[in-house]
Amino acid sequence: MALRAVVFELDGVLLLPSVSGAPGSTEQELALPRGFLNEAFKKGGLDGSTVRLMRGEITFTQWMSLMEEDYRKYSKDSGICLPENFSVNQIFGKAISARKINRPMLQAALTLRNKGFTICILTNNYLDDSTQRGSLAQLMWELRLHFDFLIESCQIGMAKPDPQIYRFMLDTLKVSPNEVVFLDDTGANLQSARDLGMVTILAHDTNTALRELEKVTGVQLLETAAPLPTPCNPSDMSHGYVPIKPGVRLHFVELGSGPPVCLCHGFPESWFSWRYQIPALAQAGFRVLALDMKGYGESSAPPEVEEYSMEVLCKDMVTFLDKLGISQAVFIGHDWSGVLVWSMALFYPERVRAVASVNTPFMPANPKVPLMEIIKANPVFDYQLYFQESGVAEAELEQNLSRTFKIFFRANDEGLLTTRNIRKMGGLLVGTPEDPSLSRLTTEEDIQFYVQQFKKSGFRGPLNWYRNIDKNWKWGCKGMGRKILIPALMITAEKDRVLLPEMSKHMEDWIPHLKRGHIKDCGHWTQIEKPTELNQILLEWLKTDASDPPLVSML
């Protein structure tokens, strides 16, 4: 029978170095006889304190107290003196704080998941009530996002190598033993799994273990390109709603804790367009708030055009922060929301911790040349002129939502749309396939998510963002002469055919401390076309320019 599931131990496999190796390394450091600390560590068999810890019968702090007693007693009985500064808390606390995620092993797990394997963590773990418990919580939270199942011994009252825990795992995964490969760093744990009929791999060395895993699964795991970041699942997200004014609310999803980061999408999108960024930013220590912008999804979509002027939209964002009790946030915007986040930095800099725009350059209003004249003079913006008459573009784009989004969301080398001569052709989708193929950037489930979102209130609200060109220009002129001096980042995409990288070339005149990122071979839909590259640029910038600044006393 073919393998269907890959099961990983946590300590010593997904997390390195192994905590269970702490007694051995301490013996060397303290010049104690080899095996002395390990013997006491394992003392008591199935009724010993370590097994009780793993079964969840006692907590980690209780266990440390018992182990301190056990080591002292074992020392006295064996006639081996322990150093005066000997401390169980120090030994294991040091080992726990040193643990990091084994990235090559995690990447292999993600690759296997992408190939259709079920991936599971089956671990002898403990109830951590120590002062360092935040470290384990952070690691477990990050790993849990990537795996289909997490089975912890302390939560189910049974621990490896007891065969019961393996049977529990098989029932949970709904697989037979011969459909499972199990990786652990302890021989006794592997033996129990092998006795039940599982394929087992001893994971003392990551590369050796991955070579064996390649052989048994037939999947290349070494020297492969990193898989896409793990996207968030809409059904797993925490959703919130903020009342802005009577009849208007903004919907958002939230993940993580730390400095707040507002992710603002463009046209015609959704909070879901940030699906690859939300987990990555949250894991890096930020409170991520990804909004449905006004007119989209579960946010309100008032019909009035003036509700979508940049001045009103920015005031909405200030109210959004006020209602959530957030004094200041990082704002990251794409496409139309790139315009919004630059406007926030220009008109409300006290509310913006830092600002970043993906694809959309900052272009200050020129009082001498109305923005509409600039748009009319550039053929690439003809689609914006087509969008001006209410009801026309709505009818075309809403006729077949699945077709619309399959045509829009495509990689730079798969493009079906042009933005030129749209009025002359009679529509944005004229000449495109009636039944377009699915882009490599999306799944059918992704497309259907957008379809369901736009069934709620259609395209009128999103298109109204385009119908305030003059209002936006007049408001923008009020900021004439101002510079943006807060931390700022501009990310350009090499092959965006509308928001060309060269459009950003004079930004330093207005944003002198601007930092830049550039993504090659990337079109307009940067968040989903090059998520790994975008995440890397954003995270590096966030950690240096957008983390909480030190508090400075005014006294």
Side-chain angles (χ1 to χ4, degrees), residues 123-231:
T123 179
N124 277 357
N125 212 0
Y126 52 89
L127 300 170
D128 192 352
D129 59 345
S130 71
T131 56
Q132 294 178 306
R133 61 189 180 275
S135 171
L136 178 61
Q138 178 68 28
L139 292 169
M140 294 301 294
W141 175 72
E142 181 173 349
L143 288 170
R144 189 180 284 113
L145 291 170
H146 300 298
F147 284 79
D148 298 303
F149 295 95
L150 167 64
I151 301 172
E152 297 178 273
S153 60
C154 59
Q155 297 294 343
I156 59 173
M158 52 185 97
K160 296 179 292 183
D162 183 349
Q164 283 188 79
I165 194 170
Y166 300 101
R167 294 190 183 100
F168 179 90
M169 177 268 292
L170 294 170
D171 288 343
T172 301
L173 272 60
K174 295 181 171 52
V175 291
S176 302
N178 58 359
E179 294 176 310
V180 177
V181 56
F182 175 54
L183 293 87
D184 201 300
D185 68 335
T186 303
N189 293 343
L190 293 172
Q191 185 61 54
S192 290
R194 213 161 31 244
D195 290 345
L196 287 170
M198 295 181 221
V199 177
T200 61
I201 294 174
L202 181 64
H204 277 171
D205 173 76
T206 296
N207 282 344
T208 303
L210 290 179
R211 275 194 288 272
E212 289 189 50
L213 192 54
E214 280 186 334
K215 288 179 186 175
V216 298
T217 61
V219 176
Q220 186 176 352
L221 301 172
L222 289 162
E223 299 174 4
T224 59
L228 289 175
T230 301

Side-chain angles (χ1 to χ4, degrees), residues 216-247:
V216 298
T217 61
V219 176
Q220 186 176 352
L221 301 172
L222 289 162
E223 299 174 4
T224 59
L228 289 175
T230 301
C232 55
N233 185 331
S235 61
D236 293 336
M237 300 303 294
S238 174
H239 296 253
Y241 301 86
V242 174
I244 302 300
K245 58 187 177 185

Side-chain angles (χ1 to χ4, degrees), residues 283-495:
Q283 288 163 20
F286 294 91
R287 177 188 178 188
V288 182
L289 305 156
L291 290 91
D292 271 337
M293 306 309 291
K294 185 193 274 184
Y296 290 85
E298 294 182 48
S299 289
S300 298
E304 298 84 4
V305 170
E306 57 270 19
E307 279 289 324
Y308 301 86
S309 73
M310 201 50 60
E311 183 177 9
V312 172
L313 292 168
C314 285
K315 286 179 179 176
D316 289 347
M317 294 310 302
V318 171
T319 304
F320 178 80
L321 295 182
D322 290 344
K323 293 289 181 74
L324 288 173
I326 297 172
S327 60
Q328 207 176 61
V330 178
F331 280 87
I332 301 174
H334 171 251
D335 188 70
W336 256 115
S337 280
V339 179
L340 181 142
V341 300
W342 291 129
S343 299
M344 285 294 296
L346 199 64
F347 287 91
Y348 299 97
E350 74 282 0
R351 307 306 298 269
V352 183
R353 173 72 189 91
V355 60
S357 178
V358 182
N359 297 47
T360 311
F362 173 69
M363 302 180 72
N366 181 349
K368 296 178 181 178
V369 185
L371 182 56
M372 185 59 84
E373 288 188 21
I374 296 172
I375 290 171
K376 287 178 178 178
N378 191 337
V380 79
F381 292 129
D382 190 65
Y383 72 100
Q384 296 195 21
L385 301 176
Y386 169 67
F387 287 168
Q388 294 307 306
E389 187 179 346
S390 291
V392 176
E394 285 93 329
E396 181 188 22
L397 298 176
E398 292 172 8
Q399 185 177 7
N400 183 336
L401 288 170
S402 178
R403 175 186 179 228
T404 295
F405 291 116
K406 285 181 180 178
I407 289 170
F408 266 99
F409 299 141
R410 306 190 76 82
N412 71 84
D413 58 352
E414 302 176 317
L416 297 174
L417 279 177
T418 180
T419 61
R420 298 169 181 264
N421 299 318
I422 302 304
R423 291 174 296 164
K424 186 177 180 180
M425 291 192 303
L428 187 65
L429 306 183
V430 172
T432 61
E434 286 298 320
D435 186 18
S437 62
L438 197 62
S439 165
R440 66 174 181 270
L441 303 185
T442 59
T443 65
E444 186 61 42
E445 289 76 16
D446 295 338
I447 295 296
Q448 289 309 310
F449 180 85
Y450 286 100
V451 168
Q452 294 307 315
Q453 293 297 294
F454 276 74
K455 279 184 177 178
K456 298 177 191 296
S457 47
F459 269 85
R460 181 180 175 86
L463 287 164
N464 279 346
W465 284 60
Y466 289 92
R467 294 166 180 160
N468 284 278
I469 303 297
D470 287 329
K471 276 193 179 71
N472 292 347
W473 170 69
K474 288 174 184 176
W475 188 57
C477 288
K478 294 180 180 179
M480 184 184 65
R482 298 177 193 168
K483 291 190 176 184
I484 294 175
L485 299 174
I486 63 175
L489 172 69
M490 177 66 214
I491 300 172
T492 48
E494 180 185 23
K495 295 184 178 179

